[in-house]
Amino acid sequence: DARVTQTPRHKVTEMGQEVTMRCQPILGHNTVFWYRQTMMQGLELLAYFRNRAPLDDSGMPKDRFSAEMPDATLATLKIQPSEPRDSAVYFCASGLGTGVNEQFFGPGTRLTVL
Amino acid sequence: GQQVMQIPQYQHVQEGEDFTTYCNSSTTLSNIQWYKQRPGGHPVFLIQLVKSGEVKKQKRLTFQFGEAKKNSSLHITATQTTDVGTYFCAGRSGGSNYKLTFGKGTLLTVNP
């Protein structure tokens, strides 16, 4: 049963600290998405990749957020320095990039910045 | 940029009652997808609609895509407690085969 995995599942950190979230997309999927979910803003697209190349990161605060895909099995989202307003659930999703092209979401990382 | 509005934000029903959530896009969509997120869980794909006026059914769920491909609805007949969760529509415009713009979702709660 192929699934997107994310680590860590929960992270509590202090303001100013660096946070790195990791995602393993489903094997064979060539598109990867990072979302942030909050009560107020809902699901916001931060960035996405196709074949490991960034296609759009316009939803991401550039000064503190960065997203990369070092290889096809790993996507990372980094926040440096973190701020309390970054507290949210961060979801990674992957997709085939063809056909129905639905997105398969990981379980999310719940981030709390104190 | 593209916006997808979804109403209502919340809906509480008695078990057995029907439920409908509506989705409207600021631009014409190439297709629309629906996802369900259980409390504490992650969004899970339900269905995709592509054609103008398309109607699809999954058991008690009926999905419609408007003629102008700018709106959509999800109707649940005779709700059950297992239907509890947030239902999201997500639209894809012609400019991108990959990017989805999500509505803010409708949280459905069902009183047994």
Side-chain angles (χ1 to χ4, degrees), chain A residues 26-96:
Chain A
I26 293 173
L27 188 65
H29 283 189
N30 67 0
T31 54
V32 175
F33 304 82
W34 282 106
Y35 291 91
R36 176 171 62 186
Q37 186 175 43
T38 60
M39 288 294 292
M40 292 299 295
Q41 300 299 327
L43 266 171
E44 300 175 278
L45 178 65
L46 297 176
Y48 69 101
F49 298 77
R50 181 172 181 260
N51 294 328
R52 295 176 54 201
L55 288 190
D56 186 350
D57 62 0
S58 59
M60 212 161 59
K62 300 291 191 304
D63 56 338
R64 299 184 300 108
F65 284 59
S66 61
E68 296 179 346
M69 279 201 74
D71 62 61
T73 64
L74 177 64
T76 62
L77 180 66
K78 189 174 295 186
I79 308 174
Q80 167 64 11
S82 58
E83 297 181 1
R85 59 180 168 152
D86 300 328
S87 298
V89 179
Y90 290 82
F91 287 106
C92 173
S94 70
L96 277 172

Side-chain angles (χ1 to χ4, degrees), chain B:
Chain B
Q2 179 185 39
Q3 292 187 338
V4 175
M5 310 298 292
Q6 200 172 344
I7 57 170
Q9 193 173 358
Y10 306 98
Q11 184 80 60
H12 177 75
V13 299
Q14 290 291 126
E15 190 172 21
E17 292 182 339
D18 293 356
F19 159 77
T20 305
T21 174
Y22 301 91
C23 186
N24 283 284
S25 170
S26 58
T27 60
T28 301
L29 301 171
S30 58
N31 57 66
I32 193 161
Q33 297 183 349
W34 285 89
Y35 290 77
K36 177 184 178 180
Q37 183 177 18
R38 294 183 188 274
H42 56 275
V44 175
F45 173 78
L46 293 176
I47 208 162
Q48 174 171 277
L49 304 171
V50 178
K51 300 176 183 177
S52 169
E54 188 170 15
V55 178
K56 286 188 175 181
K57 292 191 175 185
Q58 287 180 349
K59 296 183 180 178
R60 293 178 295 104
L61 278 61
T62 302
F63 304 84
Q64 294 188 353
F65 201 9
E67 294 291 337
K69 300 183 74 172
K70 294 182 74 173
N71 57 71
S72 182
S73 65
L74 159 59
H75 179 81
I76 303 178
T77 303
T79 54
Q80 300 175 358
T81 55
T82 53
D83 295 326
V84 164
T86 301
Y87 292 85
F88 294 95
C89 61
R92 188 172 276 142
S93 68
S96 170
N97 287 333
Y98 314 111
K99 179 179 177 179
L100 285 171
T101 301
F102 279 80
K104 288 197 174 181
T106 297
L107 172 60
L108 171 66
T109 55
V110 180
N111 201 32

